[in-house]
Amino acid sequence: MKKTLIFILLLFICGCATSTKKISFIKVTNEEKTMKQEVERITTDKEKVMINQKEYNKYTVQKGDSLWRIAKEQAGNPNFWRQMAKQNNIKEPYMIKPGQTILLSDTYTFKTGNKTKKMFKYRTIKNSSFGVGEKLVFAIKYFGITAGFGILEVKNFVDINNRKAYLIEATAKTSPFFENFYKVRDVITSYMDVFGLFSWKYSKNLEEGSYRNNSYMEFDHEQGFAKKKEGDKCQIPPFVQDVLSELYYYRAVFTGKENELFIDVASDECKVYQIVVKKVGEEKVTVDAGEFDCYVVRPFLKYEGIFRQKGDVDIWLTKDKYKMPVLVKSKIVIGTIDAVLQEATVVEP
């Protein structure tokens, strides 16, 4: 049995939340608060431009803007500012003022060595569902018996490609009794962009009985490929997720109104597949951590999943801004494995 309990969580956990004795709240850090305010400003400015001008190729200058900043946020690279100035006939000393309209282009280029690269524009997505310091502890139950434990934790920030990323870790281990038969020590790590909520890196370290499996992937969104530690490459769509970051992306974008959402995911085999997550109902559930009002969602994989999934993984999500996972029921060949929330530390947005 080379696939383990951790994947029950990672195939797609998403859940529910209410305040109970086993749910504690912490304040968002000042660093993250500043970044989330910046995301709010960027997305709000973009929404204003779209509403007022009905076009993506124009930008209205805001107080505090500079051509360098506009080029960075609207065109994806601050080095485009000179081309932007020339396009808009802005000459030295390159002064701009609030309310001024800046025309944008899809054809900005810059040179790296002997190569000319076209503009790549990073996305920005609001996130009020999770933050650094969040920790979710699950009991993995088989026929009602606790066979193991899983922890999902947003541990810290790291710098990747001059951008901030969340360091997210999922760990799984068997309970002391079951270790006598089959010992599991699994660690999966994801590095997820703070502003755009997509994956930069992913690693998997599995220790399951005598079985060992280590893998590592990096994602180059500008060039459109993923690279394994062995050097193998595969093409990816922009802003692809890994099998852990997909959970956090879904929590951020799901509002409860969508009947289905589609997510592009790259596996550690260097294959890209799509998950379709459908909302199938609403329900109040009681788990070890307390009672929660939840959305029930069901993910479908457009390929043969780890447990040969037939649409039989149900996930309970909290009907609040956190959309915290509290319960997952997953059918396997024999019986059902449940991931049940025991306790959680939640970050206030």
Side-chain angles (χ1 to χ4, degrees):
M1 179 178 175
K2 294 184 178 180
K3 311 300 182 184
T4 77
L5 304 174
I6 185 61
F7 289 106
I8 303 300
L9 290 171
L10 300 182
L11 269 177
F12 214 81
I13 291 180
C14 287
C16 351
T18 346
S19 181
T20 72
K21 293 180 180 178
K22 296 183 180 180
I23 307 295
S24 59
F25 294 85
I26 61 174
K27 294 288 186 180
V28 64
T29 65
N30 289 333
E31 181 183 14
E32 185 167 7
K33 183 178 181 180
T34 299
M35 285 189 284
K36 288 191 173 184
Q37 288 174 340
E38 182 70 1
V39 169
E40 182 77 21
R41 187 192 69 79
I42 293 171
T43 51
T44 301
D45 288 349
K46 287 180 179 178
E47 289 165 0
K48 287 179 181 177
V49 171
M50 290 171 63
I51 292 171
N52 295 334
Q53 299 170 312
K54 305 297 182 183
E55 295 183 35
Y56 285 98
N57 62 344
K58 293 181 181 180
Y59 176 78
T60 301
V61 177
Q62 307 294 313
K63 184 177 180 180
D65 271 342
S66 65
L67 284 175
W68 188 94
R69 184 173 186 170
I70 295 171
K72 178 182 178 183
E73 295 176 357
Q74 302 299 318
N77 191 313
N79 295 319
F80 295 143
W81 75 270
R82 289 185 183 277
Q83 296 176 61
M84 191 175 289
K86 184 177 180 180
Q87 176 189 3
N88 288 273
N89 198 29
I90 301 172
K91 300 178 181 179
E92 290 190 58
Y94 304 109
M95 299 294 292
I96 57 176
K97 58 184 180 180
Q100 181 177 348
T101 298
I102 301 294
L103 296 177
L104 305 175
S105 172
D106 291 329
T107 59
Y108 296 126
T109 60
F110 65 99
K111 285 191 174 182
T112 58
N114 296 323
K115 296 181 179 180
T116 299
K117 297 177 66 176
K118 289 188 176 181
M119 174 185 72
F120 182 86
K121 189 173 182 180
Y122 285 100
R123 72 185 185 190
T124 305
I125 296 178
K126 297 178 185 179
N127 165 35
S128 60
S129 296
F130 64 88
V132 169
E134 182 188 81
K135 185 175 182 180
L136 311 177
V137 180
F138 296 87
I140 312 299
K141 299 186 178 184
Y142 185 55
F143 288 111
I145 300 172
T146 299
F149 300 94
I151 298 175
L152 295 174
E153 186 172 8
V154 185
K155 303 193 76 169
N156 213 329
F157 294 116
V158 293
D159 293 310
I160 298 180
N161 298 329
N162 296 315
R163 294 175 67 90
K164 287 289 186 183
Y166 290 113
L167 170 57
I168 305 172
E169 188 174 271
T171 60
K173 64 178 182 178
T174 39
S175 63
F177 174 78
F178 279 87
E179 283 191 353
N180 296 321
F181 309 98
Y182 192 80
K183 184 176 181 179
V184 171
R185 289 288 186 275
D186 289 349
V187 180
I188 292 180
T189 305
S190 175
Y191 299 84
M192 186 182 197
D193 193 85
V194 172
F195 283 78
L197 300 182
F198 54 84
S199 180
W200 281 111
K201 294 181 182 180
Y202 163 81
S203 65
K204 180 175 71 176
N205 228 325
L206 305 185
E207 297 182 10
E208 305 165 7
S210 59
Y211 174 75
R212 299 291 183 271
N213 186 358
N214 300 318
S215 62
Y216 174 87
M217 292 187 73
E218 289 189 20
F219 302 99
D220 189 326
H221 298 273
E222 293 190 30
Q223 296 299 316
F225 68 83
K227 183 172 68 174
K228 298 176 66 175
K229 69 176 182 179
E230 298 86 359
D232 297 338
K233 293 183 179 180
C234 60
Q235 289 186 328
I236 60 169
F239 314 124
V240 74
Q241 304 296 335
D242 59 56
V243 297
L244 178 54
S245 68
E246 60 176 322
L247 158 63
Y248 292 88
Y249 169 76
Y250 185 81
R251 290 176 60 191
V253 301
F254 179 61
T255 66
K257 298 177 181 178
E258 301 86 355
N259 290 323
E260 61 181 27
L261 286 172
F262 295 81
I263 305 174
D264 292 320
V265 181
S267 72
D268 54 323
E269 290 87 14
C270 217
K271 295 180 180 178
V272 176
Y273 56 92
Q274 193 172 64
I275 284 183
V276 185
V277 188
K278 296 184 178 182
K279 185 178 72 172
V280 296
E282 300 180 14
E283 185 180 352
K284 180 174 289 187
V285 296
T286 301
V287 295
D288 296 348
E291 187 177 74
F292 302 91
D293 289 316
C294 298
Y295 298 109
V296 185
V297 300
R298 184 175 296 160
F300 296 87
L301 306 185
K302 289 191 172 180
Y303 84 122
E304 185 173 304
I306 294 168
F307 289 98
R308 298 183 183 178
Q309 181 184 330
K310 299 177 182 177
D312 52 4
V313 175
D314 289 333
I315 303 153
W316 280 256
L317 328 166
T318 51
K319 290 178 66 177
D320 57 20
K321 58 192 171 187
Y322 303 109
K323 294 178 285 286
M324 183 175 57
V326 300
L327 177 64
V328 179
K329 288 183 173 291
S330 179
K331 292 182 181 179
I332 55 175
V333 177
I334 301 176
T336 301
I337 294 180
D338 299 341
V340 181
L341 185 70
Q342 288 194 311
E343 58 184 84
T345 301
V346 180
V347 180
E348 294 182 352

